[in-house]
Amino acid sequence: MKKIVFVGAGSVVFTHGLLADLVKFPELRGMRIALHDIDPERLQVAEAVARRITGDAATVTAHLDRREALDGADFVINMVQVGGYDATVTDFEIPARYGLRQTIADTIGAGGIFRALRTFPLLDALAADIGAVCPDALLLNYTNPMAMNVWYLSGKVKNVVGLCHSVYWTMRDLAELVNVPYEEITYLAAGVNHQAWVLRFERDGRDLYPLLDVDDPQLRRRVRVDMYRRLGYYPTETSEHSAEYVPWLMHHDSEIDRLRIPVGEYLRVSEENLAEYKRTRDLVRHGGELDIAGTDEYAPQIIHSIVTGTPRVVYGNVVNDGLISNLPHGCVVEVPCVADATGVRPTAVGALPPQLAALNRTYVSVNELTVRAALEGEPRHVRHALMIDPNTAASLPLEDIWRMADELTRAHGDLLPEALRG
């Protein structure tokens, strides 16, 4: 049976959800699950959780050595967060001292750029290990910043798709908002990760967009609804995410109040994740009951489709080879993909409406400069990426942008690629 490797399995809660999704498929019974993490305690907890969830449906092994875990893999799920909570705090606290506000800080912006730079050395090592012991494996990446990581991996591994649940949960939320069962809607979304757009939203061929146009004062105080009303298309990521990818909001107190933007939100989320890990660890140690609930994530669906030949549509982050015609060739875009026995095949969408493509291009420019900084060993491109970033550029003068980059570089130190530490 197929071997599935979890890299960063110490992210216990996420590992828990993916395993619960996998065991729902009887056709995957007998699968081999290999867990890898560099933290012995977290790995031990992950193994205990995995054994409880899978029972006799899978064999579970745990490995501190990554290459050992990867040997013979068919599927590799990457969910590593390099630097953990402490690095996340750094990504918020240093920019805040310069007056730069962030909400999630994992996609673009100061936090996204430095999270990418911390992750790239890990991706180099992971790609080398995959090439050595499982070159044909499909790498399913969940680690953010999604688009930068998949772009960096392109050409380093044979098969990689980035996965995010934002399109799926946006459409579930929209269906509920217009009081139509999710199973009865059809939709098309495309763009870039965390800034894709709902291009079609229908039921039996009828456009459901007009049902979103109710004059609800509370809905008008959501960033994504405000963007929909001005741009004509609904963004596929939460208001917290969407707020920091544009230049109009984060540096205005009045906009933060009007749209209820939660500055520093990801720090609170990270603290909750740490607390949830500790609760899970204590439950495992004391024999408590785990809530084994699935998450409807794409990775288990893709694995099931490839193993069984069952076709289904998922949303994936892939290299733009003409998929979105008015975004740059070679960048990473989020588009519908067909998963079946042949693998994962992206679908060409064509041109986005020009106002949407214009916003996406700024995002893509930050991605490109960050990836080039690492590939070319050019530290100035890190500063260039920050200069182009919409929220950073709108919030800080140039001299502060460079000083902030210098301070973040010193703070993250050896986690960064060697050529970018200066």
Side-chain angles (χ1 to χ4, degrees):
M1 194 51 177
K2 301 297 185 182
K3 181 176 181 180
I4 305 164
V5 180
F6 288 65
V7 177
S11 178
V12 171
V13 177
F14 198 53
T15 297
H16 175 167
L18 291 173
L19 288 169
D21 287 339
L22 284 166
V23 298
K24 288 180 180 178
F25 296 116
E27 299 91 342
L28 298 181
R29 189 174 183 83
M31 60 189 161
R32 295 177 293 149
I33 303 293
L35 308 173
H36 163 68
D37 203 276
I38 61 172
D39 184 319
E41 181 195 90
R42 281 183 169 265
L43 182 60
Q44 184 180 42
V45 174
E47 181 182 11
V49 168
R51 291 187 186 281
R52 284 207 198 181
I53 292 172
T54 60
D56 61 359
T59 59
V60 176
T61 57
H63 310 264
L64 289 167
D65 183 273
R66 183 177 55 233
R67 187 168 290 198
E68 178 184 88
L70 289 168
D71 192 17
D74 298 288
F75 303 97
V76 179
I77 300 175
N78 178 44
M79 46 194 173
V80 173
Q81 183 181 345
V82 176
Y85 175 73
D86 290 343
T88 298
V89 171
T90 297
D91 284 342
F92 276 90
E93 288 188 345
I94 290 175
R97 289 205 294 268
Y98 287 85
L100 179 63
R101 292 160 165 162
Q102 300 176 99
T103 52
I104 307 297
D106 72 350
T107 301
I108 55 174
I113 290 166
F114 277 87
R115 181 181 284 232
L117 297 176
R118 295 195 304 272
T119 306
F120 290 164
L122 175 278
L123 297 182
D124 280 329
L126 177 60
D129 286 348
I130 289 173
V133 299
C134 56
D136 294 322
L138 173 59
L139 175 56
L140 300 169
N141 180 72
Y142 276 104
T143 296
N144 284 319
M146 179 66 67
M148 294 192 212
N149 288 340
V150 174
W151 195 336
Y152 188 77
L153 281 164
S154 65
K156 294 178 180 287
V157 293
K158 188 184 296 186
N159 302 306
V160 58
V161 179
L163 301 177
C164 176
H165 52 217
S166 61
V167 172
Y168 172 76
W169 286 111
T170 291
M171 300 317 301
R172 300 257 357 171
D173 290 346
L174 285 180
E176 183 177 350
L177 195 60
V178 301
N179 200 29
V180 174
Y182 172 78
E183 294 73 21
E184 295 181 17
I185 68 170
T186 56
Y187 56 90
L188 172 66
V192 291
N193 182 239
H194 293 171
Q195 198 187 61
W197 313 95
V198 180
L199 303 177
R200 286 209 320 266
F201 177 35
E202 299 172 348
R203 180 194 199 185
D204 296 329
R206 172 177 166 242
D207 185 10
L208 294 175
Y209 255 129
L211 298 181
L212 296 177
D213 294 332
V214 294
D215 191 17
D216 184 329
Q218 292 306 305
L219 282 179
R220 286 184 176 274
R221 295 188 68 198
R222 292 172 60 181
V223 171
R224 64 201 314 201
V225 172
D226 197 64
M227 291 177 70
Y228 157 59
R229 295 185 186 281
R230 298 176 192 276
L231 297 168
Y233 295 87
Y234 202 79
T236 64
E237 192 44 270
T238 62
S239 292
E240 292 86 351
H241 275 283
S242 297
E244 62 183 358
Y245 309 148
V246 296
W248 321 302
L249 302 177
M250 296 295 291
H251 58 297
H252 294 297
D253 291 344
S254 59
E255 291 295 82
I256 286 174
D257 179 63
R258 179 176 74 90
L259 296 169
R260 299 175 295 188
I261 298 171
V263 176
E265 174 68 9
Y266 193 67
L267 289 177
R268 291 186 284 274
V269 171
S270 297
E271 289 163 3
E272 289 170 5
N273 288 341
L274 286 174
E276 182 62 25
Y277 163 72
K278 291 175 182 176
R279 283 193 293 270
T280 302
R281 180 197 62 194
D282 293 344
L283 280 172
V284 167
R285 286 177 174 175
H286 300 110
E289 288 296 319
L290 292 174
D291 179 17
I292 303 175
T295 54
D296 293 325
E297 287 288 349
Y298 286 138
Q301 297 177 48
I302 289 171
I303 292 168
H304 180 262
S305 287
I306 292 174
V307 171
T308 66
T310 305
R312 50 168 58 89
V313 175
V314 299
Y315 276 78
N317 291 272
V318 293
V319 173
N320 187 33
D321 185 12
L323 301 171
I324 298 180
S325 58
N326 52 352
L327 291 184
H329 179 85
C331 75
V332 170
V333 294
E334 190 166 68
V335 295
C337 301
V338 176
D340 59 21
T342 65
V344 181
R345 301 191 310 280
T347 301
V349 174
L352 295 176
Q355 70 275 24
L356 308 184
L359 268 180
N360 284 169
R361 285 190 206 105
T362 303
Y363 172 116
V364 166
S365 293
V366 177
N367 288 182
E368 180 181 13
L369 286 163
T370 305
V371 171
R372 282 183 174 273
L375 293 178
E376 299 172 8
E378 175 50 86
R380 290 172 63 89
H381 282 336
V382 178
R383 283 77 178 163
H384 298 155
L386 287 163
M387 289 166 61
I388 296 299
D389 176 72
N391 181 35
T392 307
S395 301
L396 302 182
L398 279 173
E399 195 61 39
D400 282 354
I401 291 173
W402 281 61
R403 281 199 290 261
M404 180 183 69
D406 292 344
E407 190 171 346
L408 282 165
T409 299
R410 289 192 297 270
H412 289 304
D414 292 347
L415 294 177
L416 303 180
E418 186 174 356
L420 302 182
R421 296 173 191 169

